[in-house]
Each structure stands twice: as structure tokens, then as C-alpha cells.
Amino acid sequence: MHITRVFWYAVVICIAIVLWGSIAPTNLNDLTVVATTFIYDHFAWFYIFVIVAMISFCIYIMFSRFGKVTLGKQNEKPEFSLLAWFAMLFSAGMGIGLVFFTTAETISHAFISSPNATPGSDQAIIESLQYAMFHWGLHGWGLYSIVALVLAYFKFRVGAPGLISATLEPLFGKKIMRGTVGHIVDTLAVFATVVGVASTLGFGSAQINSGLTYLFDAPKTFWFQLIILLIATVLFILSAWSGIGRGIKYLSTINIVVGFILLLLLFIVGPSMYILNLFTTSIGKYAGNFIEMSFELKPLNGDQRQWINEWTIFYWAWWISWAPFVGMFIARVSKGRTIREFVAGVLLAPTLVTFIFFAVFGGSALYLEQNGIAKLSALVTETVTFGMYEHYPLGTILSLITVFVIAVFFITSADSATFVLGMFSTGGQLNPSNVVKIIWGLTLSAMAAIVMYSGGIKGFQNMLIISALPLSLIIILMVVSFYKVIQQKE
């Protein structure tokens, strides 16, 4: 199986955290809240500079002389078709958030808590989509793009192991990065991946449960969510077992196609002209305020600063903590593409699709509440989308398709994570053994079940935010190391 020390370090830490979150969830939550508040208050500026620096570097490297460099041997062809490549990176990077936060976040910005205006006002409604695009657009995908680019370059061009620590060897030397320091770096990446995916599995089970409750009046209990989790576990382990070239690729492609069908149906039965007008206006405001939003901290207004902490800084920390997992997966499926093609594909294509999804789903939700048809802001996050469907034709069919899309996104996120964890814990093997993938799959589900039962998901999410601080330093060093090597080799 070629299991390394990183596997055992990560397992021990994860078990300790699960026990803590299970036995004393309130204590875990309280302590992590103190830590995250400290980070928000003292390092918000740092997260902003890290994210802006990554986008700037993406744009520079795409148009530089290095853009023609192939992520692999010279003239090597891509391993996957354009559609399959895009479907896999999009499924790993967005997941079930695409269906739920497209409605819940825009409704929240417009009618619950707005960045610059009174909730419910015309300005708040207009800005809601603009800020949702800001949180899910170029900034996040720029970060994923640069982490994935560094990993892919070192793995396929330099021939280094597929590990975060391997990308730092040009700065600190092979002896240090293949010793204890390197193990700590890789263990941090595994920890962030496990905690993030386990939290998502717990949240995803609750979301699917809400959909089934809405459609079939299914019971909304822990035990029903556990059954959903068990079924999903079997399916995503089977998918991971079959490998990237089969299960993961096919499921990702199916989900993207079905997701676009859902998008098209909602656009047709929804307020089409309202959506088009809102999309056009929001794109213009997003582009016009891009620089201002990128550096916005509101230091002189306590309420607005709190909003920035709870939304923008939270998202930047969240994207950073997911970067090792998503970056490694995108790197794994991007062999054979040039740097220019890679950055353009990862940075621009998902951003554009994300904007369209937010405009259609978010616009349809905003229209209902703005016109007094439905009070969606009173619903919990996992039911906003289903509550919106009630007021449009084909609501039941849209809900059925949505449950299917959530379930497949749920499976594709988990099998991608299982694959990446296998790589991280076997010294960077491109195709880790099935035994290792099964162990990680079962570990992820066990953690999700325990945390769901104990109610400790919030503490887990806070730990993910905390892990983003050291990860952001590692990402900066990865970029410096990458630039040093590419200047010497190319």
C-alpha cells in the first residue's frame, strides 16, 4: 500500500479531533470561535493580500513567456477531453454549494444582512448578486488555479512526488522537506481535507434529507441522514475504486449535463427577463467595483466590518483551506495542458458558469421575495431552494432533479477527496491502492456521522478556518519556489 508516516499522523490527529468534537462539542466550538475571531480581527488584511496576489500572479503567468510550457513532457497531449476535464474540476471545486448557496446567499445579502445598504432595499437586492459573484468568482478560482498549477508543474514537468512538501524542496532542500518538516506540511494538507470533506458530508446529508422531506414527507432525523450517508459512502467508494478515468469522470460529466438542464428549465419557467437584467447589471457592478471590493475591509464602520469578517474573510479562509485538496485533484487531471490553457480554463470557465448559476437561481429567489410572493429569508439554508421551487411551474420535477444533482455532487466531492487523500498519504502516488482509498472513505464517513450526531459541525468548520492561516503561508512559499524553478528550467 506504500502508506507513509503522513497517513498515521493524520489519522491520530483526526481521531483526537473527532473525540473532542463528540465528547465536548460546546468546548470545541467555544475555543475555536475565540481563535477564529482573533484571526478575523488580526489577519483579515493578510488574507486579502494573499488572495489578490494569487489572482495577479495567475494573470501574469498566463500572459508571460511561460504560458507555452506544457504540464508534462514536451508535446504531450491532455489525458482527458475538454468536457471531462472541465466537469471534473468544476465538480471538485463547487460541489453541492452550487445548488444551495446560489439561492441562500443572495437572499441573505438582500434581505437579512447587506454589505452597504438597508436589507430589502433596491440597492441591497442589486448588490446581493454582485457580492455573491465576488465570493464565488475569480478570487477563489484564482487561488485554486495557482495551487493546482504549482502541483501539476512539479509533478508532471519536474518529476517530483505529488505532494505539497515536494514543491518546497527548491527553497529548503530535499533533506528537510522529506523529513519531519515535510511530513508536518503534508499532514496539515490531509487534516484540512479530511475536516472539510467530513463537514461537507454531514451538511450534504442534511440537505438531501431536506429535499426528500419536501418531496416525500420523509422523516427529518439523524438516523435518516445516517442512512443517506451510508448509501452515499458505498457509492463514492465504488466510484473511487473504479479510478479517475472511469467512475469519477463519468459521474462528473453526468452531473454537469444534468445541472445545465436544471439551469435551463428554471430559466424558462422562472422570471427570465428579470434574471437577464439582474445578471447584466450585476456583471457590470462586479467589474466596475472589482478593485474596491478586493481590498474592502471597512475599518471605520463596526457593523460593515463585521459583515466583511463573516462573509468575505470567511470565504477567503474557506477557499484557502480547500486549496490543497481541490488543487491536487485539478493538478492530477490536467496533465498535458499548457500553462496558458490551464490557467484560462481553471480561472475563467468555472467563474463564468458560476455567475450564470447564481444569476438564474439567485435571481429566481430574489424575484419572489422582492415581489412579496414568498418569504424565503425566513427559511434555513438547506430548504431555500426547495421553498423557491414551490412558486414556479414544474416545481416537483425541479426538486427531483435537484436532489439527484446534490446526490451526485455529494458523491463526486467525496470520491475526489478519497483519491487525493490516498495520494497525500502514499508519498504522492498518482494511483493509490484501493485499500488506501477505502480506508479514507470509511474514515471520512465515520467522522461525518459522529460529528452529525454530536452537533459539532460548527466547531469543525471553525478548525478549517484556523488551518487556513498556516496554509496561506505554505501557498506563498509554493509560488516563490515555483517561480524560482520555472525561471531556471524554461
Side-chain angles (χ1 to χ4, degrees), residues 75-99:
N75 300 321
E76 189 168 15
K77 299 299 179 188
E79 185 178 1
F80 298 100
S81 69
L82 199 60
L83 176 62
W85 177 61
F86 174 72
M88 285 192 284
L89 71 90
F90 194 69
S91 295
M94 289 297 292
I96 52 181
L98 192 68
V99 179

mmCIF file with all atom_site columns, all heavy atoms in Angstrom, residues 75-99:
data_model
loop_
_atom_site.group_PDB
_atom_site.id
_atom_site.type_symbol
_atom_site.label_atom_id
_atom_site.label_alt_id
_atom_site.label_comp_id
_atom_site.label_asym_id
_atom_site.label_entity_id
_atom_site.label_seq_id
_atom_site.pdbx_PDB_ins_code
_atom_site.Cartn_x
_atom_site.Cartn_y
_atom_site.Cartn_z
_atom_site.occupancy
_atom_site.B_iso_or_equiv
_atom_site.pdbx_formal_charge
_atom_site.auth_seq_id
_atom_site.auth_comp_id
_atom_site.auth_asym_id
_atom_site.auth_atom_id
_atom_site.pdbx_PDB_model_num
ATOM 1   N N   . ASN A 1 75 ? 5.178   18.495 -25.918 1.00 0.00 ? 75 ASN A N   1
ATOM 2   C CA  . ASN A 1 75 ? 4.208   17.988 -26.908 1.00 0.00 ? 75 ASN A CA  1
ATOM 3   C C   . ASN A 1 75 ? 3.325   16.854 -26.382 1.00 0.00 ? 75 ASN A C   1
ATOM 4   O O   . ASN A 1 75 ? 2.666   16.166 -27.167 1.00 0.00 ? 75 ASN A O   1
ATOM 5   C CB  . ASN A 1 75 ? 4.921   17.530 -28.189 1.00 0.00 ? 75 ASN A CB  1
ATOM 6   C CG  . ASN A 1 75 ? 5.695   18.660 -28.834 1.00 0.00 ? 75 ASN A CG  1
ATOM 7   O OD1 . ASN A 1 75 ? 5.239   19.808 -28.857 1.00 0.00 ? 75 ASN A OD1 1
ATOM 8   N ND2 . ASN A 1 75 ? 6.891   18.355 -29.343 1.00 0.00 ? 75 ASN A ND2 1
ATOM 9   N N   . GLU A 1 76 ? 3.298   16.628 -25.068 1.00 0.00 ? 76 GLU A N   1
ATOM 10  C CA  . GLU A 1 76 ? 2.413   15.609 -24.506 1.00 0.00 ? 76 GLU A CA  1
ATOM 11  C C   . GLU A 1 76 ? 0.959   16.070 -24.606 1.00 0.00 ? 76 GLU A C   1
ATOM 12  O O   . GLU A 1 76 ? 0.658   17.242 -24.379 1.00 0.00 ? 76 GLU A O   1
ATOM 13  C CB  . GLU A 1 76 ? 2.772   15.342 -23.047 1.00 0.00 ? 76 GLU A CB  1
ATOM 14  C CG  . GLU A 1 76 ? 2.047   14.145 -22.445 1.00 0.00 ? 76 GLU A CG  1
ATOM 15  C CD  . GLU A 1 76 ? 2.648   13.736 -21.109 1.00 0.00 ? 76 GLU A CD  1
ATOM 16  O OE1 . GLU A 1 76 ? 3.413   14.540 -20.530 1.00 0.00 ? 76 GLU A OE1 1
ATOM 17  O OE2 . GLU A 1 76 ? 2.354   12.617 -20.646 1.00 0.00 ? 76 GLU A OE2 1
ATOM 18  N N   . LYS A 1 77 ? 0.055   15.176 -24.978 1.00 0.00 ? 77 LYS A N   1
ATOM 19  C CA  . LYS A 1 77 ? -1.348  15.538 -25.156 1.00 0.00 ? 77 LYS A CA  1
ATOM 20  C C   . LYS A 1 77 ? -2.115  15.404 -23.841 1.00 0.00 ? 77 LYS A C   1
ATOM 21  O O   . LYS A 1 77 ? -1.774  14.582 -22.986 1.00 0.00 ? 77 LYS A O   1
ATOM 22  C CB  . LYS A 1 77 ? -1.990  14.638 -26.226 1.00 0.00 ? 77 LYS A CB  1
ATOM 23  C CG  . LYS A 1 77 ? -1.333  14.763 -27.594 1.00 0.00 ? 77 LYS A CG  1
ATOM 24  C CD  . LYS A 1 77 ? -1.454  16.178 -28.125 1.00 0.00 ? 77 LYS A CD  1
ATOM 25  C CE  . LYS A 1 77 ? -0.764  16.328 -29.486 1.00 0.00 ? 77 LYS A CE  1
ATOM 26  N NZ  . LYS A 1 77 ? -0.708  17.741 -29.934 1.00 0.00 ? 77 LYS A NZ  1
ATOM 27  N N   . PRO A 1 78 ? -3.215  16.195 -23.679 1.00 0.00 ? 78 PRO A N   1
ATOM 28  C CA  . PRO A 1 78 ? -4.026  16.094 -22.450 1.00 0.00 ? 78 PRO A CA  1
ATOM 29  C C   . PRO A 1 78 ? -4.575  14.688 -22.252 1.00 0.00 ? 78 PRO A C   1
ATOM 30  O O   . PRO A 1 78 ? -4.959  14.011 -23.215 1.00 0.00 ? 78 PRO A O   1
ATOM 31  C CB  . PRO A 1 78 ? -5.149  17.101 -22.691 1.00 0.00 ? 78 PRO A CB  1
ATOM 32  C CG  . PRO A 1 78 ? -4.584  18.085 -23.660 1.00 0.00 ? 78 PRO A CG  1
ATOM 33  C CD  . PRO A 1 78 ? -3.676  17.283 -24.554 1.00 0.00 ? 78 PRO A CD  1
ATOM 34  N N   . GLU A 1 79 ? -4.654  14.279 -20.969 1.00 0.00 ? 79 GLU A N   1
ATOM 35  C CA  . GLU A 1 79 ? -5.137  12.939 -20.644 1.00 0.00 ? 79 GLU A CA  1
ATOM 36  C C   . GLU A 1 79 ? -6.647  12.828 -20.806 1.00 0.00 ? 79 GLU A C   1
ATOM 37  O O   . GLU A 1 79 ? -7.174  11.768 -21.131 1.00 0.00 ? 79 GLU A O   1
ATOM 38  C CB  . GLU A 1 79 ? -4.732  12.615 -19.198 1.00 0.00 ? 79 GLU A CB  1
ATOM 39  C CG  . GLU A 1 79 ? -5.050  11.217 -18.748 1.00 0.00 ? 79 GLU A CG  1
ATOM 40  C CD  . GLU A 1 79 ? -4.569  10.950 -17.315 1.00 0.00 ? 79 GLU A CD  1
ATOM 41  O OE1 . GLU A 1 79 ? -4.003  11.886 -16.692 1.00 0.00 ? 79 GLU A OE1 1
ATOM 42  O OE2 . GLU A 1 79 ? -4.783  9.837  -16.829 1.00 0.00 ? 79 GLU A OE2 1
ATOM 43  N N   . PHE A 1 80 ? -7.371  13.951 -20.575 1.00 0.00 ? 80 PHE A N   1
ATOM 44  C CA  . PHE A 1 80 ? -8.835  13.932 -20.636 1.00 0.00 ? 80 PHE A CA  1
ATOM 45  C C   . PHE A 1 80 ? -9.343  14.956 -21.646 1.00 0.00 ? 80 PHE A C   1
ATOM 46  O O   . PHE A 1 80 ? -8.687  15.970 -21.906 1.00 0.00 ? 80 PHE A O   1
ATOM 47  C CB  . PHE A 1 80 ? -9.428  14.244 -19.253 1.00 0.00 ? 80 PHE A CB  1
ATOM 48  C CG  . PHE A 1 80 ? -9.054  13.238 -18.193 1.00 0.00 ? 80 PHE A CG  1
ATOM 49  C CD1 . PHE A 1 80 ? -8.041  13.515 -17.285 1.00 0.00 ? 80 PHE A CD1 1
ATOM 50  C CD2 . PHE A 1 80 ? -9.691  12.007 -18.118 1.00 0.00 ? 80 PHE A CD2 1
ATOM 51  C CE1 . PHE A 1 80 ? -7.676  12.598 -16.315 1.00 0.00 ? 80 PHE A CE1 1
ATOM 52  C CE2 . PHE A 1 80 ? -9.336  11.071 -17.152 1.00 0.00 ? 80 PHE A CE2 1
ATOM 53  C CZ  . PHE A 1 80 ? -8.325  11.374 -16.253 1.00 0.00 ? 80 PHE A CZ  1
ATOM 54  N N   . SER A 1 81 ? -10.545 14.680 -22.184 1.00 0.00 ? 81 SER A N   1
ATOM 55  C CA  . SER A 1 81 ? -11.161 15.629 -23.120 1.00 0.00 ? 81 SER A CA  1
ATOM 56  C C   . SER A 1 81 ? -11.490 16.926 -22.377 1.00 0.00 ? 81 SER A C   1
ATOM 57  O O   . SER A 1 81 ? -11.559 16.957 -21.135 1.00 0.00 ? 81 SER A O   1
ATOM 58  C CB  . SER A 1 81 ? -12.442 15.039 -23.706 1.00 0.00 ? 81 SER A CB  1
ATOM 59  O OG  . SER A 1 81 ? -13.437 14.956 -22.695 1.00 0.00 ? 81 SER A OG  1
ATOM 60  N N   . LEU A 1 82 ? -11.746 18.003 -23.153 1.00 0.00 ? 82 LEU A N   1
ATOM 61  C CA  . LEU A 1 82 ? -12.034 19.298 -22.540 1.00 0.00 ? 82 LEU A CA  1
ATOM 62  C C   . LEU A 1 82 ? -13.272 19.227 -21.650 1.00 0.00 ? 82 LEU A C   1
ATOM 63  O O   . LEU A 1 82 ? -13.288 19.765 -20.538 1.00 0.00 ? 82 LEU A O   1
ATOM 64  C CB  . LEU A 1 82 ? -12.228 20.350 -23.643 1.00 0.00 ? 82 LEU A CB  1
ATOM 65  C CG  . LEU A 1 82 ? -12.101 21.807 -23.220 1.00 0.00 ? 82 LEU A CG  1
ATOM 66  C CD1 . LEU A 1 82 ? -10.728 22.111 -22.648 1.00 0.00 ? 82 LEU A CD1 1
ATOM 67  C CD2 . LEU A 1 82 ? -12.406 22.745 -24.389 1.00 0.00 ? 82 LEU A CD2 1
ATOM 68  N N   . LEU A 1 83 ? -14.340 18.546 -22.125 1.00 0.00 ? 83 LEU A N   1
ATOM 69  C CA  . LEU A 1 83 ? -15.578 18.449 -21.352 1.00 0.00 ? 83 LEU A CA  1
ATOM 70  C C   . LEU A 1 83 ? -15.355 17.668 -20.059 1.00 0.00 ? 83 LEU A C   1
ATOM 71  O O   . LEU A 1 83 ? -15.780 18.085 -18.979 1.00 0.00 ? 83 LEU A O   1
ATOM 72  C CB  . LEU A 1 83 ? -16.683 17.786 -22.184 1.00 0.00 ? 83 LEU A CB  1
ATOM 73  C CG  . LEU A 1 83 ? -18.003 17.544 -21.439 1.00 0.00 ? 83 LEU A CG  1
ATOM 74  C CD1 . LEU A 1 83 ? -18.613 18.859 -20.976 1.00 0.00 ? 83 LEU A CD1 1
ATOM 75  C CD2 . LEU A 1 83 ? -18.999 16.775 -22.315 1.00 0.00 ? 83 LEU A CD2 1
ATOM 76  N N   . ALA A 1 84 ? -14.674 16.521 -20.163 1.00 0.00 ? 84 ALA A N   1
ATOM 77  C CA  . ALA A 1 84 ? -14.436 15.695 -18.970 1.00 0.00 ? 84 ALA A CA  1
ATOM 78  C C   . ALA A 1 84 ? -13.547 16.439 -17.971 1.00 0.00 ? 84 ALA A C   1
ATOM 79  O O   . ALA A 1 84 ? -13.780 16.392 -16.759 1.00 0.00 ? 84 ALA A O   1
ATOM 80  C CB  . ALA A 1 84 ? -13.791 14.373 -19.373 1.00 0.00 ? 84 ALA A CB  1
ATOM 81  N N   . TRP A 1 85 ? -12.520 17.133 -18.499 1.00 0.00 ? 85 TRP A N   1
ATOM 82  C CA  . TRP A 1 85 ? -11.612 17.900 -17.624 1.00 0.00 ? 85 TRP A CA  1
ATOM 83  C C   . TRP A 1 85 ? -12.372 18.996 -16.885 1.00 0.00 ? 85 TRP A C   1
ATOM 84  O O   . TRP A 1 85 ? -12.275 19.124 -15.658 1.00 0.00 ? 85 TRP A O   1
ATOM 85  C CB  . TRP A 1 85 ? -10.500 18.512 -18.474 1.00 0.00 ? 85 TRP A CB  1
ATOM 86  C CG  . TRP A 1 85 ? -9.532  19.380 -17.727 1.00 0.00 ? 85 TRP A CG  1
ATOM 87  C CD1 . TRP A 1 85 ? -8.723  19.005 -16.698 1.00 0.00 ? 85 TRP A CD1 1
ATOM 88  C CD2 . TRP A 1 85 ? -9.263  20.773 -17.979 1.00 0.00 ? 85 TRP A CD2 1
ATOM 89  N NE1 . TRP A 1 85 ? -7.959  20.085 -16.282 1.00 0.00 ? 85 TRP A NE1 1
ATOM 90  C CE2 . TRP A 1 85 ? -8.275  21.172 -17.047 1.00 0.00 ? 85 TRP A CE2 1
ATOM 91  C CE3 . TRP A 1 85 ? -9.745  21.712 -18.885 1.00 0.00 ? 85 TRP A CE3 1
ATOM 92  C CZ2 . TRP A 1 85 ? -7.768  22.475 -17.011 1.00 0.00 ? 85 TRP A CZ2 1
ATOM 93  C CZ3 . TRP A 1 85 ? -9.237  23.006 -18.843 1.00 0.00 ? 85 TRP A CZ3 1
ATOM 94  C CH2 . TRP A 1 85 ? -8.261  23.371 -17.918 1.00 0.00 ? 85 TRP A CH2 1
ATOM 95  N N   . PHE A 1 86 ? -13.153 19.753 -17.626 1.00 0.00 ? 86 PHE A N   1
ATOM 96  C CA  . PHE A 1 86 ? -13.915 20.838 -17.014 1.00 0.00 ? 86 PHE A CA  1
ATOM 97  C C   . PHE A 1 86 ? -14.918 20.284 -16.007 1.00 0.00 ? 86 PHE A C   1
ATOM 98  O O   . PHE A 1 86 ? -15.079 20.835 -14.903 1.00 0.00 ? 86 PHE A O   1
ATOM 99  C CB  . PHE A 1 86 ? -14.635 21.629 -18.103 1.00 0.00 ? 86 PHE A CB  1
ATOM 100 C CG  . PHE A 1 86 ? -15.554 22.677 -17.558 1.00 0.00 ? 86 PHE A CG  1
ATOM 101 C CD1 . PHE A 1 86 ? -15.051 23.822 -16.966 1.00 0.00 ? 86 PHE A CD1 1
ATOM 102 C CD2 . PHE A 1 86 ? -16.928 22.508 -17.611 1.00 0.00 ? 86 PHE A CD2 1
ATOM 103 C CE1 . PHE A 1 86 ? -15.901 24.786 -16.447 1.00 0.00 ? 86 PHE A CE1 1
ATOM 104 C CE2 . PHE A 1 86 ? -17.781 23.461 -17.093 1.00 0.00 ? 86 PHE A CE2 1
ATOM 105 C CZ  . PHE A 1 86 ? -17.260 24.599 -16.516 1.00 0.00 ? 86 PHE A CZ  1
ATOM 106 N N   . ALA A 1 87 ? -15.600 19.184 -16.359 1.00 0.00 ? 87 ALA A N   1
ATOM 107 C CA  . ALA A 1 87 ? -16.613 18.612 -15.460 1.00 0.00 ? 87 ALA A CA  1
ATOM 108 C C   . ALA A 1 87 ? -15.981 18.166 -14.149 1.00 0.00 ? 87 ALA A C   1
ATOM 109 O O   . ALA A 1 87 ? -16.537 18.413 -13.062 1.00 0.00 ? 87 ALA A O   1
ATOM 110 C CB  . ALA A 1 87 ? -17.303 17.422 -16.138 1.00 0.00 ? 87 ALA A CB  1
ATOM 111 N N   . MET A 1 88 ? -14.804 17.556 -14.221 1.00 0.00 ? 88 MET A N   1
ATOM 112 C CA  . MET A 1 88 ? -14.173 17.048 -13.000 1.00 0.00 ? 88 MET A CA  1
ATOM 113 C C   . MET A 1 88 ? -13.680 18.178 -12.108 1.00 0.00 ? 88 MET A C   1
ATOM 114 O O   . MET A 1 88 ? -13.852 18.153 -10.894 1.00 0.00 ? 88 MET A O   1
ATOM 115 C CB  . MET A 1 88 ? -13.031 16.098 -13.358 1.00 0.00 ? 88 MET A CB  1
ATOM 116 C CG  . MET A 1 88 ? -13.522 14.737 -13.827 1.00 0.00 ? 88 MET A CG  1
ATOM 117 S SD  . MET A 1 88 ? -12.221 13.494 -13.916 1.00 0.00 ? 88 MET A SD  1
ATOM 118 C CE  . MET A 1 88 ? -11.400 14.005 -15.422 1.00 0.00 ? 88 MET A CE  1
ATOM 119 N N   . LEU A 1 89 ? -13.024 19.190 -12.701 1.00 0.00 ? 89 LEU A N   1
ATOM 120 C CA  . LEU A 1 89 ? -12.510 20.266 -11.851 1.00 0.00 ? 89 LEU A CA  1
ATOM 121 C C   . LEU A 1 89 ? -13.652 21.092 -11.259 1.00 0.00 ? 89 LEU A C   1
ATOM 122 O O   . LEU A 1 89 ? -13.590 21.560 -10.121 1.00 0.00 ? 89 LEU A O   1
ATOM 123 C CB  . LEU A 1 89 ? -11.509 21.135 -12.616 1.00 0.00 ? 89 LEU A CB  1
ATOM 124 C CG  . LEU A 1 89 ? -11.983 22.062 -13.732 1.00 0.00 ? 89 LEU A CG  1
ATOM 125 C CD1 . LEU A 1 89 ? -12.335 23.438 -13.190 1.00 0.00 ? 89 LEU A CD1 1
ATOM 126 C CD2 . LEU A 1 89 ? -10.859 22.211 -14.768 1.00 0.00 ? 89 LEU A CD2 1
ATOM 127 N N   . PHE A 1 90 ? -14.732 21.241 -12.020 1.00 0.00 ? 90 PHE A N   1
ATOM 128 C CA  . PHE A 1 90 ? -15.869 22.014 -11.531 1.00 0.00 ? 90 PHE A CA  1
ATOM 129 C C   . PHE A 1 90 ? -16.599 21.262 -10.414 1.00 0.00 ? 90 PHE A C   1
ATOM 130 O O   . PHE A 1 90 ? -16.983 21.857 -9.399  1.00 0.00 ? 90 PHE A O   1
ATOM 131 C CB  . PHE A 1 90 ? -16.831 22.288 -12.687 1.00 0.00 ? 90 PHE A CB  1
ATOM 132 C CG  . PHE A 1 90 ? -17.843 23.345 -12.380 1.00 0.00 ? 90 PHE A CG  1
ATOM 133 C CD1 . PHE A 1 90 ? -17.462 24.672 -12.240 1.00 0.00 ? 90 PHE A CD1 1
ATOM 134 C CD2 . PHE A 1 90 ? -19.179 23.024 -12.237 1.00 0.00 ? 90 PHE A CD2 1
ATOM 135 C CE1 . PHE A 1 90 ? -18.393 25.656 -11.954 1.00 0.00 ? 90 PHE A CE1 1
ATOM 136 C CE2 . PHE A 1 90 ? -20.117 23.998 -11.952 1.00 0.00 ? 90 PHE A CE2 1
ATOM 137 C CZ  . PHE A 1 90 ? -19.717 25.319 -11.819 1.00 0.00 ? 90 PHE A CZ  1
ATOM 138 N N   . SER A 1 91 ? -16.754 19.942 -10.567 1.00 0.00 ? 91 SER A N   1
ATOM 139 C CA  . SER A 1 91 ? -17.436 19.144 -9.543  1.00 0.00 ? 91 SER A CA  1
ATOM 140 C C   . SER A 1 91 ? -16.659 19.152 -8.243  1.00 0.00 ? 91 SER A C   1
ATOM 141 O O   . SER A 1 91 ? -17.231 19.260 -7.152  1.00 0.00 ? 91 SER A O   1
ATOM 142 C CB  . SER A 1 91 ? -17.625 17.702 -10.032 1.00 0.00 ? 91 SER A CB  1
ATOM 143 O OG  . SER A 1 91 ? -18.495 17.669 -11.136 1.00 0.00 ? 91 SER A OG  1
ATOM 144 N N   . ALA A 1 92 ? -15.315 19.049 -8.346  1.00 0.00 ? 92 ALA A N   1
ATOM 145 C CA  . ALA A 1 92 ? -14.493 19.045 -7.132  1.00 0.00 ? 92 ALA A CA  1
ATOM 146 C C   . ALA A 1 92 ? -14.478 20.428 -6.485  1.00 0.00 ? 92 ALA A C   1
ATOM 147 O O   . ALA A 1 92 ? -14.482 20.555 -5.262  1.00 0.00 ? 92 ALA A O   1
ATOM 148 C CB  . ALA A 1 92 ? -13.071 18.607 -7.463  1.00 0.00 ? 92 ALA A CB  1
ATOM 149 N N   . GLY A 1 93 ? -14.464 21.483 -7.301  1.00 0.00 ? 93 GLY A N   1
ATOM 150 C CA  . GLY A 1 93 ? -14.324 22.831 -6.765  1.00 0.00 ? 93 GLY A CA  1
ATOM 151 C C   . GLY A 1 93 ? -15.607 23.438 -6.245  1.00 0.00 ? 93 GLY A C   1
ATOM 152 O O   . GLY A 1 93 ? -15.596 24.229 -5.306  1.00 0.00 ? 93 GLY A O   1
ATOM 153 N N   . MET A 1 94 ? -16.753 23.110 -6.842  1.00 0.00 ? 94 MET A N   1
ATOM 154 C CA  . MET A 1 94 ? -18.011 23.735 -6.444  1.00 0.00 ? 94 MET A CA  1
ATOM 155 C C   . MET A 1 94 ? -18.882 22.814 -5.593  1.00 0.00 ? 94 MET A C   1
ATOM 156 O O   . MET A 1 94 ? -19.362 23.192 -4.541  1.00 0.00 ? 94 MET A O   1
ATOM 157 C CB  . MET A 1 94 ? -18.803 24.155 -7.686  1.00 0.00 ? 94 MET A CB  1
ATOM 158 C CG  . MET A 1 94 ? -18.196 25.321 -8.422  1.00 0.00 ? 94 MET A CG  1
ATOM 159 S SD  . MET A 1 94 ? -18.142 26.829 -7.425  1.00 0.00 ? 94 MET A SD  1
ATOM 160 C CE  . MET A 1 94 ? -19.883 27.192 -7.283  1.00 0.00 ? 94 MET A CE  1
ATOM 161 N N   . GLY A 1 95 ? -19.103 21.598 -6.079  1.00 0.00 ? 95 GLY A N   1
ATOM 162 C CA  . GLY A 1 95 ? -19.923 20.655 -5.317  1.00 0.00 ? 95 GLY A CA  1
ATOM 163 C C   . GLY A 1 95 ? -21.348 21.147 -5.095  1.00 0.00 ? 95 GLY A C   1
ATOM 164 O O   . GLY A 1 95 ? -21.908 21.907 -5.881  1.00 0.00 ? 95 GLY A O   1
ATOM 165 N N   . ILE A 1 96 ? -21.901 20.707 -3.956  1.00 0.00 ? 96 ILE A N   1
ATOM 166 C CA  . ILE A 1 96 ? -23.311 20.990 -3.694  1.00 0.00 ? 96 ILE A CA  1
ATOM 167 C C   . ILE A 1 96 ? -23.575 22.468 -3.404  1.00 0.00 ? 96 ILE A C   1
ATOM 168 O O   . ILE A 1 96 ? -24.719 22.899 -3.420  1.00 0.00 ? 96 ILE A O   1
ATOM 169 C CB  . ILE A 1 96 ? -23.823 20.138 -2.515  1.00 0.00 ? 96 ILE A CB  1
ATOM 170 C CG1 . ILE A 1 96 ? -22.907 20.307 -1.300  1.00 0.00 ? 96 ILE A CG1 1
ATOM 171 C CG2 . ILE A 1 96 ? -23.885 18.684 -2.906  1.00 0.00 ? 96 ILE A CG2 1
ATOM 172 C CD1 . ILE A 1 96 ? -23.335 19.490 -0.122  1.00 0.00 ? 96 ILE A CD1 1
ATOM 173 N N   . GLY A 1 97 ? -22.544 23.254 -3.154  1.00 0.00 ? 97 GLY A N   1
ATOM 174 C CA  . GLY A 1 97 ? -22.724 24.682 -2.906  1.00 0.00 ? 97 GLY A CA  1
ATOM 175 C C   . GLY A 1 97 ? -23.384 25.372 -4.072  1.00 0.00 ? 97 GLY A C   1
ATOM 176 O O   . GLY A 1 97 ? -24.085 26.383 -3.910  1.00 0.00 ? 97 GLY A O   1
ATOM 177 N N   . LEU A 1 98 ? -23.176 24.830 -5.277  1.00 0.00 ? 98 LEU A N   1
ATOM 178 C CA  . LEU A 1 98 ? -23.730 25.443 -6.478  1.00 0.00 ? 98 LEU A CA  1
ATOM 179 C C   . LEU A 1 98 ? -25.255 25.494 -6.438  1.00 0.00 ? 98 LEU A C   1
ATOM 180 O O   . LEU A 1 98 ? -25.868 26.426 -6.935  1.00 0.00 ? 98 LEU A O   1
ATOM 181 C CB  . LEU A 1 98 ? -23.275 24.655 -7.704  1.00 0.00 ? 98 LEU A CB  1
ATOM 182 C CG  . LEU A 1 98 ? -23.536 25.312 -9.051  1.00 0.00 ? 98 LEU A CG  1
ATOM 183 C CD1 . LEU A 1 98 ? -22.674 26.544 -9.201  1.00 0.00 ? 98 LEU A CD1 1
ATOM 184 C CD2 . LEU A 1 98 ? -23.247 24.327 -10.169 1.00 0.00 ? 98 LEU A CD2 1
ATOM 185 N N   . VAL A 1 99 ? -25.878 24.490 -5.844  1.00 0.00 ? 99 VAL A N   1
ATOM 186 C CA  . VAL A 1 99 ? -27.334 24.424 -5.825  1.00 0.00 ? 99 VAL A CA  1
ATOM 187 C C   . VAL A 1 99 ? -27.921 25.207 -4.649  1.00 0.00 ? 99 VAL A C   1
ATOM 188 O O   . VAL A 1 99 ? -28.944 25.873 -4.789  1.00 0.00 ? 99 VAL A O   1
ATOM 189 C CB  . VAL A 1 99 ? -27.800 22.953 -5.756  1.00 0.00 ? 99 VAL A CB  1
ATOM 190 C CG1 . VAL A 1 99 ? -29.321 22.874 -5.701  1.00 0.00 ? 99 VAL A CG1 1
ATOM 191 C CG2 . VAL A 1 99 ? -27.266 22.171 -6.941  1.00 0.00 ? 99 VAL A CG2 1
#
